[in-house]
């Protein structure tokens, strides 16, 4: 090994250490920002020393591409609204996966032209890289489309969907064996690429909006694994290390999300949750029961004269961008001497930690935010729970109705509080198509309207008290 | 099995375990930043993209390489910046009682 290669190798090891430290620091509030910075420095080091590699002889295209990417990346990172964060993360994810797939494709293309026989391990790792990367690319784009509202957020299903997916999968395997064992053909490899892209679309379209936290974290994991596979293809260890770290991080988050819904990953991915067929029985139950609706004045009285209030935010708050109004309301209540807390369900919103990010943006101190396990024992002592755009995470059917599709999912026990006030557009069922018996509970008050308008109305009314 | 593959697999398995060990018990507040930070790291594919673009090969390879660099750079730059933006919000809001 000559001096240059040694230096490059050592720099890669240093970068790997920084990546590991960066991820560790990202796991604790006090050090998270430093962790992100360390990881960014690691990336910069890795990029710079790679450019010193003797394999690299032309720099023009590299520079142009990096400049384009930097401009797009920094503008989108600066301009994106916090409410649009899930789709932004989705896109970035997809691009990482896409890059890995392209690397594998280019490498296969080059070597298959050079020789009629390729080493088995090379064929397998290129196939894996293009498969995982391609699937991550289109899967993330569909997730983006769903979150952005470009594609329907509810599950899209069609007859024989699973059979079609299984056939696609079989086709990939058959072609893979052909390529690796018999004929390293460019055309076959392109077909595998196209099949992977198709599978990415097919696997994400049947997944409903509220299952997105799981999908986003899983795709995150995949983008790491794709980079890993690309590392085997170009025989570069830093890709393997960084990719494996991301793969692990994504998998951990996926597990946390699945646990929070008490559903196995397979059910989230293939259950096409909320297509109606599983939920049909539960929906009828709503029928002709009556609900108690309140107007702004009455709602303000109830909140304004309470002693303790717990706010439960959900996707509705994000969709209406009501987080700033919610912060104003909570400060107003606190000024009146009312104890205010926020209860955050792990899968509220569309990505892990979605509500925390939004409330942080609105300057709600994170000491007021409580996890499900911490807040649940407190509900019996709470005067009023104010639910803003959440539904399934407070549905008591998950606790006591064994026929409910969400039975077994841990929920926030808001029904144990003295009063529950729910801000909701209408009585429509949530994403899962499941009716919520809490709406018809005598102690529940429905406050119909858009989250932002209603919270602003509450603020105005409470000021008049 | 080729030696290079064996070394690669060893590194992969050990790194994955390091990942699992390092990222246990993340508070929910940090779920999004952890995800988007990890996401930015997955842009490490840029290294592969640099290697295939820089050797000035066939036009087709070059095109794929340039697209791959653009993709990965957006992932890396955007990912780290957006994570920092989020973490900045977490930081400034609580002057009274920082939680370790």
């Amino acid at each position: 090994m000559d001096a240059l290669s040694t230096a490059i190798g050592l720099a890669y090891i240093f970068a790997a250490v920084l990546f590991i430290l960066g991820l560790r620091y990202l796991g604790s509030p006090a050090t998270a920002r430093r962790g992100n910075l360390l990881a960014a420095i690691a990336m910069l080091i890795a990029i710079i020393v790679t450019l010193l590699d003797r394999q690299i002889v032309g720099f023009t295209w590299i520079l142009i591409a990096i400049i384009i990417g930097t401009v797009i990346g920094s503008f989108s990172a600066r301009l994106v609204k916090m409410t649009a964060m899930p789709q932004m993360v989705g896109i970035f994810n997809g691009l990482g996966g896409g890059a890995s797939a392209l690397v594998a494709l280019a490498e296969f293309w080059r070597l298959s032209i050079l020789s009629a026989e390729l080493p088995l391990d090379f064929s397998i790792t290129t196939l894996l890289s293009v498969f995982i990367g391609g699937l991550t690319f289109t899967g993330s784009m569909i997730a983006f489309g769903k979150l952005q509202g470009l594609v329907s957020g509810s599950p899209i299903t069609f007859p024989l969907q699973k059979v079609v997916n299984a056939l696609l999968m079989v086709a990939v395997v058959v072609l893979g064996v052909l390529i690796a064992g018999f004929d390293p053909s460019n055309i076959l490899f392109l077909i595998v690429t196209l099949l992977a892209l198709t599978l990415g679309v097919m696997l994400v379209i049947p997944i409903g909006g509220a299952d997105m936290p799981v999908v986003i974290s899983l795709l995150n994991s995949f983008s790491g694994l794709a980079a890993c596979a690309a590392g085997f293809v170009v025989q570069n260890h830093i890709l393997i290390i960084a990719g494996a770290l991301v793969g692990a991080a994504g998998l951990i988050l996926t597990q946390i999300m699945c646990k929070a819904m008490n559903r196995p990953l397979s059910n989230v991915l293939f259950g096409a949750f909320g297509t109606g067929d599983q939920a049909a029985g539960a929906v009828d139950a709503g029928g002709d029961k009556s609900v108690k609706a309140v107007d702004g004045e009455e709602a303000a009285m109830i909140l304004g004269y309470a002693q303790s209030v717990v706010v439960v935010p959900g996707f509705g708050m994000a969709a209406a961008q009501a987080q700033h109004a919610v912060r104003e309301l909570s400060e107003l209540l606190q000024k009146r001497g009312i104890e205010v807390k926020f209860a955050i369900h792990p899968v509220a919103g569309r990505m892990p930690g979605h509500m925390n990010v939004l409330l942080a943006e609105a300057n709600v101190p994170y000491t007021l935010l409580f996890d499900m396990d911490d807040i649940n024992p407190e509900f019996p002592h709470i005067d009023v729970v104010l639910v803003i755009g959440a539904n399934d995470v407070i549905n008591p059917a998950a606790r006591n109705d064994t026929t409910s599709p969400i039975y077994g999912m841990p929920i926030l026990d808001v029904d144990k509080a003295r009063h529950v006030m729910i801000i909701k557009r209408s009585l429509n069922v949530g994403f899962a198509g499941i009716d919520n018996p809490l709406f018809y509970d005598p102690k529940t008050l429905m406050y119909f309207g858009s989250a932002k308008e209603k919270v602003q109305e509450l603020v105005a009314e409470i000021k008049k008290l | 099995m080729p030696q290079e593959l064996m070394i690669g697999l060893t590194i992969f398995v050990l790194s994955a375990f390091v990942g699992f060990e390092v990222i246990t018990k993340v508070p929910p507040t940090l779920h999004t930043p952890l995800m988007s930070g990890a996401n930015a790291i997955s842009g490490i594919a840029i290294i592969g993209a640099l290697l295939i673009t820089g050797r000035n090969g066939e036009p087709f390879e070059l095109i794929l390489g340039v697209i791959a660099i653009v993709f990965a750079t957006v992932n890396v730059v955007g990912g780290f910046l957006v994570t920092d933006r989020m973490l900045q919000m977490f930081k400034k809001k609580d002057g009274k009682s920082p939680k370790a």
Side-chain angles (χ1 to χ4, degrees):
Chain A
M1 209 184 237
D2 60 64
L4 183 63
S5 312
T6 310
I8 293 176
L10 290 175
Y12 278 150
I13 296 177
F14 183 56
V17 171
L18 289 184
F19 276 134
I20 294 170
L21 286 177
L23 271 180
R24 186 168 98 196
Y25 287 159
L26 265 173
S28 149
T31 56
R33 220 177 152 198
R34 200 182 340 147
N36 187 51
L37 186 65
L38 284 186
I41 293 172
M43 188 64 78
L44 192 63
I45 293 174
I47 291 172
I48 291 172
V49 300
T50 306
L51 291 175
L52 298 175
D53 193 306
R54 288 210 185 84
Q55 276 188 49
I56 296 186
V57 288
F59 291 91
T60 322
W61 287 108
I62 290 183
L63 272 183
I64 294 174
I66 287 186
I67 291 170
I68 297 175
T70 307
V71 170
I72 300 177
S74 42
F75 270 99
S76 37
R78 202 145 304 166
L79 299 178
V80 62
K81 283 192 180 146
M82 281 302 147
T83 41
M85 200 50 81
Q87 45 271 54
M88 188 91 260
V89 173
I91 279 206
F92 287 161
N93 239 333
L95 293 179
S100 302
L102 289 168
V103 168
L105 184 57
E107 195 66 1
F108 188 90
W109 202 266
R110 182 175 74 101
L111 290 179
S112 67
I113 289 172
L114 287 181
S115 88
E117 247 176 278
L118 296 176
L120 184 62
D121 60 313
F122 174 80
S123 302
I124 293 175
T125 50
T126 19
L127 282 165
L128 272 178
S129 180
V130 91
F131 178 69
I132 306 174
L135 187 151
T136 308
F137 179 67
T138 47
S140 301
M141 292 305 145
I142 295 293
F144 163 78
K146 281 185 177 253
L147 294 163
Q148 187 73 28
L150 302 174
V151 181
S152 163
S154 42
I156 299 169
T157 51
F158 53 85
L160 297 181
Q161 194 164 23
K162 281 175 197 165
V163 179
V164 173
N165 288 353
L167 285 178
L168 283 172
M169 208 47 231
V170 170
V172 169
V173 173
V174 170
L175 286 173
V177 170
L178 267 179
I179 292 169
F182 304 95
D183 177 22
S185 127
N186 279 338
I187 307 301
L188 290 185
F189 198 83
L190 269 182
I191 298 177
V192 172
T193 313
L194 290 179
L195 287 176
L197 295 174
T198 315
L199 258 172
V201 176
M202 299 289 282
L203 289 176
V204 179
I205 50 167
I207 300 175
D211 283 343
M212 278 301 151
V214 178
V215 175
I216 296 268
S217 356
L218 190 67
L219 288 170
N220 189 20
S221 180
F222 277 7
S223 71
L225 293 178
C228 228
F232 282 97
V233 173
V234 298
Q235 304 206 334
N236 187 306
H237 293 161
I238 190 76
L239 267 86
I240 301 180
I241 297 170
L245 290 172
V246 177
L251 213 54
I252 289 176
L253 277 177
T254 310
Q255 274 175 341
I256 296 176
M257 293 302 117
C258 282
K259 212 177 137 209
M261 298 202 284
N262 193 30
R263 283 161 56 201
L265 184 57
S266 58
N267 178 286
V268 177
L269 296 182
F270 307 116
F273 210 55
T275 41
D277 38 337
Q278 308 120 309
V283 174
D284 303 336
D288 41 69
K289 288 179 216 160
S290 63
V291 298
K292 227 188 293 173
V294 284
D295 61 8
E297 201 184 337
E298 205 185 336
M301 299 256 280
I302 296 165
L303 274 177
Y305 293 111
Q307 282 186 339
S308 51
V309 172
V310 168
V311 179
V312 177
F315 180 62
M317 182 185 84
Q321 308 214 4
Q323 66 271 29
H324 296 282
V326 170
R327 194 250 313 152
E328 205 185 340
L329 175 66
S330 75
E331 283 179 356
L332 191 62
L333 293 175
Q334 282 176 320
K335 257 184 228 149
R336 296 177 62 89
I338 301 166
E339 190 192 10
V340 181
K341 287 177 176 173
F342 288 81
I344 314 289
H345 192 281
V347 292
R350 291 292 183 263
M351 67 175 170
H354 195 181
M355 294 300 123
N356 304 73
V357 171
L358 290 183
L359 292 172
E361 189 208 4
N363 267 326
V364 174
Y366 63 64
T367 41
L368 294 184
L369 271 48
F370 290 83
D371 303 342
M372 180 166 59
D373 296 337
D374 295 329
I375 196 89
N376 264 349
E378 291 194 36
F379 279 116
H381 317 293
I382 300 296
D383 287 335
V384 186
V385 171
L386 179 63
V387 178
I388 305 171
N391 185 1
D392 296 317
V393 298
I394 52 158
N395 191 341
R399 215 174 42 225
N400 41 32
D401 178 2
T402 49
T403 63
S404 172
I406 57 168
Y407 179 72
M409 167 170 152
I411 55 159
L412 291 164
D413 296 330
V414 301
D415 55 322
K416 294 188 176 153
R418 290 188 194 105
H419 296 281
V420 182
M421 195 183 295
I422 300 176
I423 300 182
K424 205 175 179 306
R425 280 177 186 284
S426 67
L427 269 185
N428 281 348
V429 290
F431 98 98
I434 307 158
D435 200 15
N436 193 335
L438 184 63
F439 298 163
Y440 314 102
D441 193 302
K443 68 178 160 197
T444 301
L445 302 159
M446 301 300 290
Y447 187 26
F448 289 116
S450 137
K452 193 170 177 179
E453 282 165 31
K454 290 296 130 176
V455 175
Q456 282 168 343
E457 191 177 299
L458 273 178
V459 170
E461 290 290 342
I462 291 175
K463 277 181 182 160
K464 284 193 229 157
L465 289 180
Chain B
M1 198 188 261
Q3 198 190 0
E4 178 58 33
L5 181 65
M6 203 68 223
I7 298 172
L9 279 178
T10 311
I11 292 176
F12 169 69
V13 172
L14 293 180
S15 307
F17 271 95
V18 170
F20 280 116
E21 288 302 316
V22 159
I23 315 164
T24 44
K25 279 196 226 153
V26 179
T29 310
L30 289 175
H31 281 171
T32 304
L34 174 72
M35 187 175 65
S36 79
N39 180 8
I41 296 177
S42 74
I44 190 74
I46 193 173
I47 304 297
L50 292 175
L51 290 173
I52 59 165
T53 311
R55 63 182 169 225
N56 282 356
E58 296 273 309
F60 182 65
E61 277 174 63
L62 193 64
I63 294 169
L64 293 184
V66 168
I67 302 176
I69 296 182
V70 173
F71 277 13
T73 311
V74 173
N75 185 191
V76 167
V77 175
F80 283 125
L81 285 181
V82 99
T83 310
D84 191 63
R85 212 181 117 195
M86 265 187 276
L87 291 170
Q88 218 173 339
M89 296 177 338
F90 284 126
K91 196 145 198 173
K92 70 180 180 196
K93 71 185 172 178
D94 194 294
K96 290 161 271 176
S97 52
K99 195 167 71 175

